[in-house]
Amino acid sequence: NTQVTLSVANSDKAHTVTEALAHEASVTVACSTVSTGYQGDIEVTCNAGTLAADASACLPKGCAASDPAEKVSLGSDGTTTEDVAPPGAMASGTTRQLECSAYNADFTGTMVAGCSFGVFTVDGTGCSGGCGTSAEVELKIQQTTSTWNPSATMATGDTETVACDSIKNDGTFAGDIVITCSFGLLTASYAGC
């Protein structure tokens, strides 16, 4: 008998052994030939002319850092995308939290990366547009201007204040300028000056 049924998870495939096998001799067949989401080898052994297959070494395929990057939409509006590769070796069925700011400085929050049977996926809806330290807003009081950058990444909706007299220090201005971050854009309100 030169044919044996190979079973991996819920997949079966008929396999023909093309070489002659002596009693207790074996050949291996890649698990991925039966189910692409598995790695390892199936051992096909001949016992008194009967072939038997042992697929116990077949394991769900993981994801590697060298796997192709996934194009991920950051945030809920989907207008900003980044390429995200597996952050290292990941076993099938595992997830990892990734900082959005590591891929785009204008975003805060976390993405969820997952690996399932060798397929790498990323959900970027946990990211929200923020304002990184490279964002800037020009502050102007009368003819005096100054450029302001956040000292740390601000999330959308975060505010910072700047003293009005730090822009024009002539004793005529008091109060604060309120700077607001909204999806990567900084705006200034002078109502408090």
Side-chain angles (χ1 to χ4, degrees), residues 96-104 107-111 127:
R96 289 200 187 153
Q97 302 288 318
L98 305 176
E99 292 296 322
C100 302
S101 60
Y103 297 89
N104 186 315
F107 281 80
T108 59
T110 57
M111 296 181 261
C127 298

Side-chain angles (χ1 to χ4, degrees), residues 6-56:
L6 306 177
S7 298
V8 176
N10 294 324
S11 298
D12 295 328
K13 182 177 182 180
H15 179 75
T16 302
V17 176
T18 56
E19 64 265 25
L21 291 178
H23 176 67
E24 295 185 354
S26 63
V27 294
T28 58
V29 179
C31 301
S32 61
T33 62
V34 179
S35 182
T36 57
Y38 283 80
Q39 60 190 5
D41 290 318
I42 302 167
E43 186 173 22
V44 178
T45 305
C46 178
N47 189 356
T50 302
L51 295 174
D54 177 7
S56 62

